[in-house]
Amino acid sequence: MKYSKQREIILAIVKESDKHPTAEEVYMEARKRLPSISLGTVYRNLHILVELGMIKQIKGLDEKDRFDKTLKDHGHLLCTVCHKVYDADDVLIDTLKDNIEKESGFVTQSYNIVVTGICHTCMKERRYENEFTRN
Amino acid sequence: MKYSKQREIILAIVKESDKHPTAEEVYMEARKRLPSISLGTVYRNLHILVELGMIKQIKGLDEKDRFDKTLKDHGHLLCTVCHKVYDADDVLIDTLKDNIEKESGFVTQSYNIVVTGICHTCMKERRYENEFTRN
DNA sequence: ATTCTTGCAAAGAGTTTGCATAATA
DNA sequence: TATTATGCAAACTCTTTGCAAGAAT
């Protein structure tokens, strides 16, 4: 594999971000640092980095694939009020995994866990009213 | 809302299936019963049925949306060997939900849990060798 | 008669890919 | 020089939507 400035930038952006960015978001940030970069290159390199195990890919958070600097498998909590994505406590997920293995003899390779709801902060500040009265 | 033969058929297909069918799969089956039915109608009605709470939509199992006759939120176990989709034990998932709420004050509205691995049957029959030696 | 639903085809979003050019080794 | 990566645009997959025609109330 040959070095490329583009790949270095793309890796740096994901590693710097706390926001589980989409390919499009990585592309937008990358263009600030290297205006000539193309979206295709971003997609290609994100997948290479996933293959190399340097970043992780998250599916099912919303319609778009997202990319994550954290390598360990972990769940995500998506707040429907502030739209922030929180990382779920590893321990809880590990417990689930162990229980599934014990219960059904299913050997886990990976998991994709997205819990949608209202985060502690939004609950505390009562920002949720609209959510519950919407329908 | 007005009755339509198409909607009746689409609902019946999802309710009969144990396979968490995609829209395309529902469409294929529907055409056997009503050859003139269109894919757009299948998509439209699947979403109406989801809105009405008569079926559930599953995201993140693979690239395509899938539809589920089971109304209660539940996780899915996807076997990478036989590609079957198993329903996860409700109790395990409820425990996870409770733990997340206790731990982080996050109020769960819904969840999307997909655990990928090797099912008990494939393990027992040692059909997994290729999986582990592939890379 | 009015309203809802359909089939069709076009458009949309997100992602992947073919190809000639450019950069790396 | 040989190989890998790039930018661009076209293609691809899955899904949604506009519209005129058809079916249900």
Side-chain angles (χ1 to χ4, degrees):
Chain A
M1 162 160 301
K2 285 178 182 170
Y3 169 84
S4 90
K5 187 77 187 164
Q6 285 85 343
R7 184 151 52 233
E8 181 178 49
I9 288 173
I10 290 163
L11 175 60
I13 289 169
V14 176
K15 286 295 187 182
E16 286 164 17
S17 174
D18 289 318
K19 292 185 149 170
H20 314 82
T22 61
E24 188 72 33
E25 286 165 351
V26 172
Y27 172 58
M28 288 309 182
E29 177 59 35
R31 286 219 303 191
K32 294 184 194 162
R33 309 187 193 183
L34 187 67
S36 64
I37 201 170
S38 75
L39 184 56
T41 295
V42 171
Y43 273 103
R44 262 187 301 240
N45 278 294
L46 284 169
H47 290 130
I48 289 169
L49 293 168
V50 169
E51 284 293 308
L52 292 173
M54 301 179 80
I55 61 177
K56 293 222 48 152
Q57 185 167 10
I58 319 171
K59 289 172 178 286
L61 251 182
D62 49 26
E63 299 317 299
K64 304 162 202 165
D65 287 356
R66 292 175 172 271
F67 297 87
D68 196 331
K69 64 175 173 182
T70 305
L71 299 180
K72 188 178 182 320
D73 257 5
H74 61 283
H76 293 98
L77 310 180
L78 174 63
C79 179
T80 52
V81 179
C82 67
H83 301 286
K84 273 200 202 116
V85 177
Y86 296 85
D87 287 347
D89 185 334
D90 292 357
V91 180
L92 299 179
I93 309 288
D94 284 347
T95 303
L96 174 71
K97 200 187 89 176
D98 292 347
N99 285 343
I100 284 173
E101 302 208 345
K102 250 180 265 169
E103 186 78 27
S104 55
F106 193 89
V107 178
T108 303
Q109 290 171 332
S110 67
Y111 50 74
N112 182 4
I113 295 181
V114 178
V115 178
T116 305
I118 303 177
C119 74
H120 185 56
T121 307
C122 288
M123 282 302 289
K124 217 170 47 188
E125 301 184 7
R126 299 186 177 282
R127 288 204 237 120
Y128 54 80
E129 255 98 1
N130 297 332
E131 282 297 316
F132 283 126
T133 55
R134 183 169 293 160
N135 298 318
Chain B
M1 160 161 301
K2 284 178 183 167
Y3 169 84
S4 89
K5 187 78 189 161
Q6 286 85 343
R7 185 150 51 232
E8 181 178 48
I9 288 173
I10 290 163
L11 176 60
I13 289 169
V14 176
K15 285 295 188 182
E16 286 163 17
S17 174
D18 289 319
K19 292 185 150 170
H20 313 83
T22 61
E24 188 72 32
E25 287 164 351
V26 172
Y27 172 59
M28 289 308 183
E29 178 58 33
R31 287 219 302 190
K32 294 185 194 162
R33 308 186 193 183
L34 187 68
S36 64
I37 201 171
S38 76
L39 184 57
T41 295
V42 171
Y43 272 103
R44 262 186 301 238
N45 278 295
L46 284 169
H47 289 130
I48 289 170
L49 293 169
V50 169
E51 284 295 307
L52 292 175
M54 303 180 79
I55 61 175
K56 294 223 43 152
Q57 183 167 12
I58 319 170
K59 290 174 177 284
L61 251 181
D62 49 26
E63 299 318 299
K64 303 160 202 165
D65 287 355
R66 291 174 172 271
F67 297 87
D68 196 332
K69 64 175 173 181
T70 305
L71 299 180
K72 188 179 183 318
D73 257 7
H74 59 282
H76 292 98
L77 312 179
L78 173 64
C79 178
T80 53
V81 178
C82 66
H83 301 287
K84 274 201 202 114
V85 178
Y86 297 84
D87 287 347
D89 185 334
D90 292 358
V91 180
L92 299 179
I93 308 289
D94 284 348
T95 303
L96 174 72
K97 202 188 89 177
D98 292 348
N99 285 342
I100 284 174
E101 301 208 347
K102 251 180 266 169
E103 187 79 28
S104 55
F106 193 90
V107 177
T108 303
Q109 290 171 332
S110 67
Y111 50 75
N112 181 4
I113 295 182
V114 177
V115 178
T116 304
I118 304 177
C119 74
H120 185 56
T121 307
C122 288
M123 284 302 289
K124 218 170 47 185
E125 300 184 6
R126 300 186 177 283
R127 288 203 236 118
Y128 53 80
E129 256 98 3
N130 297 332
E131 282 298 315
F132 282 128
T133 54
R134 184 169 291 160
N135 299 318

